[in-house]
Structures are given as structure tokens and as C-alpha cells.
Amino acid sequence: MHVKSHSARPWYLVLLILVIGLVAGTVGAVTAETDGAPSPAAKLPSSTELLKLPKIPNERCLKCHNDEDEKTSEREDGTEVNIFIDRERFEHSVHGKQPCVGCHNSIKKANHEMPLPKSIGCVQCHMMTAEAQRGSDDPKYKRLDVVLAQIDGYMNSVHARPSLLDQSRTNATCYDCHEAHAIGTLGSTARAEHRQQNPEVCGRCHAKQEEAYAESVHGKAVIEGQNAGAAVCSDCHTPHNIDSPEQTKVKLTITGNCGSCHEKQLKTYQASYHGQVIRLGYTYTAKCYDCHGNHGIMKVDDPASKVHPDNRLETCRQCHKDAPIGFLGFHAHGDANDYENFPEMWIAARFMDVLIIGVFLFFWTHMLLWIYREWRERKEGKGYRPDPANPPQVYFRRFGTGWRITHGILAIAVMVLVLTGTSVLFGEQPWAQYVMNVMGGPKVAGIIHRVAAVTFIAVFFGHLVVVIWNIARAGRQFRWFGPTSMVPNLQDLRDIGAMFKWFFGFAPRPKFDRWSYWEKFDYWAPFWGMAIIGLSGLMLWFPTVTASFLPGWVFNIATIVHAEEAILAAVFLFTVHYFNVHFRPEKWPMDIVMATGAVPLEEFKHEHALEYERLKASGELEKYLIKPPTEKSVRAGRRVTGWLIIIGLVLAALVLNGYVQKLSGH
């Protein structure tokens, strides 16, 4: 029996050893998996496991960790760590009612191992709490949605990514930035203290940036002046979804965050070309910190400031390499509504406002009265009315092929200029951002805009060459104020008065010669536009050349008049000009004379009665009479004209919408 008993013991012993070995192997495997995890969040137990954690009362933890005489603990490698928890601060923090082991979930008993293995799951705990309290109207949970949004931001930030030096760790955890044992409630002293300590906290990892910040205007206000409203790191970089400042979205965020404090400066910046590009979502242009610096921003009058008068030219030369001294006169934050500080900008802006309002007040009133008079005459059976049952058999040749091609090129160039220009001008609007993205961004749009501008200039000056040639060829026979001349004269003023008498029913409709007063206005408008839009555009296109002989504030004036005159030209062309040519009741829905070059003789007699009578009396009428255009050319003319009208109306709607939004301050 003794032998049997003795021989049986090893069998049970072996079984016990196997069981212990199996458990130890499982624990080792779990430990191995944990050690290779990319972040501490992977070490966290499940929600079920968290509920089974030992319930060690906080009072037991604080017996050691609230000991004034034992605030630090020395590790095996000789480093000292702070283990002191201020009981009062902790109990008044947002976590004051939470069990210590809820966060320090690796602790199984009060006398835990040292050093304590970190296993703190801020993210999982907040997510579990939010899920458990979903739909609750308890006020203490009202910020859980905010916390979840902050978690999402953090998890996508550079801080949550694995460290390149040690991929078993994240770059920064929640408790690296937050003092977990003293997170204050909203409006608390602890909260305010945490904000004041923000530069110091960030500086633990970003020492160089903290050093520069400490000497900056922001840093001195916070550190020396204890100004709670001055900018700290998280105000510029955002507190949770921090990412590399090399990324476009971060550059845009930082620029926008500057404006959260400097609202007026942001508004004036966005009125400049630099700011317009930023509003479109592109950052390859001067941003706030490109001019003012980033962590080491100084006051403007500080000799170390990048925008101090002694340093400003070098700052401009970061982008404009050969910038002359004239750049110093540019108002980077000029305000066209501030007469006292920027009188030249105020005058330019008010002049353009009066011009725009005056032009549209006259011509839109002119349009409405014309519509009313023609409607009344149609009701009375008067006026010109073509008969669809008897198509005209004789046409009058009004425009040659060269003029029609020139008009088509000019129309396309103007539309491209309007689309590319106003997409930048109204860059905050969704349609502008969509158009800009389709075109490939402001750089590509700028090239397209300049190509269209050069095309417009070439057509304009080519036309002048032809006009001068025709005048020279006519010699003394050319009549500057004759019936075929585009030069305005006193008869045009008489015609305007007669037209308004007709509008109000006081006189019959006046008769016109080759060119009516509104046609002359349409003709001379591009001359004014070329002088204003063209000259200002060239100034902005070649800033270095401009500033070499003009003061820098001309860029501010050029920006204002270039934009405002472009708005005037676009809306005038696509409303007033379209009405005069296509939308009058007797022309509706379109006039294709510029497409085919010819107009029915009866219509010509109605539109230009004096020219008809003059040509008939001189015997020259016959040489202008032609057969009707072919059906094919008519269909093509309607198709081309129709598309140009549609595109023009869409552009007019976009420009008007942008202008109204601008006036309303949106």
C-alpha cells in the first residue's frame, strides 16, 4: 500500500504541473500579444471584464498617494516619478466620483507591483459610458457627445498614431496632455489653470516651439501677464484633432483659428487675393503665419517682428523674390470701409458702388419701361410683329463674317473671364469651390483667366487697328458724327428723351439710324472696361513691375476696381445687353443676327428706319439685300446663340448672388 501510495503521488503532481503550465502559457501568450500592440488601447479589457475588476475603494488608494511625505517613488533605474494625488483637487474634478481602478485597470490588489504597468483606457471608458447613457436626459451626461467628437478627432490625429521611435507607444495619450486627477469642470478654476499650463504641457514634447512661444506676444501675455484670453497652443492647432502643419487642412484650420481672435484682420485678409485663394481651400499663397511668423509672433512695432517696417520687405521676398521697396506701401489689412486710415480705398470703393448702382438703376428701369410699352402696344395691335405664316424672303446683310467671328471669340473670352474671376472673388460659396476644383485649383484657373484676358486684349486692339485703317482709308470723307459713326452725339441724347416719352405714351417710338444709343453704349462699354479691368489686371499680374514705379497701395485700389468693374460688366452684359438684343418682346426668345449676319428686311426697316430710308434714297440699299439664310445655318445659329444665352444667364445669376451675399456681409 505504501508503494502504491508513493507511486500515485507523482501522477497527481504531473497533472498539477500541466495545469499550471497551461495557465502560465496562456497568460504569457496574452502578455506577448499585449507587448506587441500598437497602442495602449489594445491592452484594455472588455466592458464585461471591467465590471469584474476588484472594487478597491479610493480611500485605500489615497492612503498612499495622498501622503505629503511620500510624493515620489524611485524606480529600479533610479528615476523618480510623482505618485502624489491631491485629494481635494481630485475629488472636485470631473473624475472625482470615479473609482481609481476604473482607470488603472491593471491593479488587482491594493499592494500592487511597482512600477505600475500602465493600462489606462480613457477612450474605451468614455465610449462605454456614452453607450450606456445614450438617450439619457441626466445633465451630468450632456457633454458625452462632445467627448465622443473629441475622441474621434484624437483617434485621427498625429498624437494617436504610433511613435516612429517606439511603435508600441502612441505619440501622445489623453493623460499626457490632461492632468487626469484634476480635470476641472466647465468654468472651474482647475479648467482655467489647465489652459494657462497648455504651453508647458505641449512643451514637454515640443521644447523648441515652447521656447519660441515664450518670447512671443502671445506667450508673454499668457506666461507673464496671466492673460487667460491670449492664444495658447490648442487655440491655433486645435485641442484634439491635431495633425502635421504641412497638411493643407491643418494650414486652413490654423489660418481660420487666427481669425477667431483677430476677426477684423481675417475679414480684410480674405478681401485680398491671398485670402480669396485660402477661402477656396488652397494654401499655396501667403497665410497669416507666413507673414507674421508662427510660434514666435511679435508685435508689429517690435524690431524682431517679421512685419516690422524694417523687416517687411524681406518677408514679402519670401514669395516675391525681387519685390521692390514699393511693396511696403501695400495695405495687407486695408479696409475699404475705414476712411480715416485708408481714404484712397474708401474713395475707390464708394465710386464703384455709385457707378454700379447708377448704371443698373438707369438701364434696368429702361428695360422695365420698354417691356411695359411694348406689351401695351401689342394689346392695342401696334408695333412690329413678324408673321410666322409668311417667312421673309428678303434679308438685309448687317454684319460681315469677320465681325461675327470676332464677336464670338470675344463672347467666349468674356464668359471664361467671368467664370474664373468670380470663382475666386466669391470663393466662400459652394459653387465657386466646385468650379475651382473642376478647373484644377486657383493656379490653373489663373492661367486660364490670363489666356482669356490676352485673347480679349488681342481682339480689342485688333479691332482698333481695323477701325483706324478704315478711318485712314476714308480720309476726309469720314464723318466723325455721321449716321454710320459710333461716336456719341447730341442726337443720341435727343433719342433717349424721345424713347422715354414713348415709354410713357407721350410720343410715338423714335426712329434710329445705323446705331441706336443703346448699341453705342454697348460698344463703348468695353473701352471703359479695358481701361479699368485691363489696367488693374495687369498691375496685379505683374506686381514687381508695378511696385517699381508706383506705391504699394495701388494694389489695394486695383483689387477693388478690378473686382467691382468685373461685376458691373458681367451683370450688364448678361442682363441689359441680353435684353436689348434677345429679350425684348419683339425679339423674344433670341435674335440670331450675329450668328447669320442677316436680318429680315421688314425687321430692319422697323429697327433702323432712318438708315433704310437713307440707303434707299441713295440707291445703295440693293447691295445689302441677300437671300434668306439656309435652314442649316439658322439651326446652327439658334443652337450657338441659345447656349451662349444660357451660359450668360447662369453666370449672371452666380455673380448677382455672390454680390448680394457680399453686400449682406455673409
Side-chain angles (χ1 to χ4, degrees), residues 34 36 77 209 212 220 233 255 307 314 331 349 417 448 530 615:
T34 304
D77 60 3
Q209 287 79 4
K220 288 180 179 179
C233 310
T255 304
V307 292
E314 287 305 313
H331 303 310
L417 286 168
I448 296 172
M530 178 59 64
L615 291 174

Side-chain angles (χ1 to χ4, degrees), residues 558-624:
T559 300
I560 293 171
V561 300
H562 191 76
E564 300 290 304
E565 179 62 27
I567 292 172
L568 172 61
V571 178
F572 180 88
L573 282 171
F574 303 135
T575 59
V576 178
H577 178 66
Y578 272 17
F579 172 81
N580 291 341
V581 177
H582 302 291
F583 298 155
R584 285 183 282 148
E586 60 190 23
K587 293 285 189 178
W588 178 265
M590 70 177 71
D591 182 13
I592 61 171
V593 63
M594 192 54 75
T596 62
V599 60
L601 182 59
E602 290 301 314
E603 184 176 333
F604 172 71
K605 287 168 62 177
H606 172 71
E607 291 282 334
H608 302 279
L610 296 180
E611 183 181 19
Y612 172 80
E613 293 167 3
R614 178 169 48 78
L615 291 174
K616 186 176 181 181
S618 65
E620 297 179 275
L621 181 64
E622 293 297 325
K623 68 179 182 180
Y624 291 98

Side-chain angles (χ1 to χ4, degrees), residues 32 115 161 260 407 608:
R161 295 171 198 154
S260 63
H407 180 273
H608 302 279

Side-chain angles (χ1 to χ4, degrees), residues 244-256 278 283 287 289:
S244 169
E246 298 302 316
Q247 292 194 10
T248 295
K249 66 176 183 179
V250 179
K251 293 177 181 178
L252 293 171
T253 298
I254 293 174
T255 304
I278 286 287
T283 58
K287 299 164 288 298
Y289 52 84

Side-chain angles (χ1 to χ4, degrees), residues 129-145:
T129 306
E131 185 62 33
Q133 300 301 326
R134 190 176 299 279
S136 171
D137 56 0
D138 191 329
K140 68 181 180 181
Y141 298 117
K142 65 182 180 180
R143 278 184 54 82
L144 280 174
D145 287 343

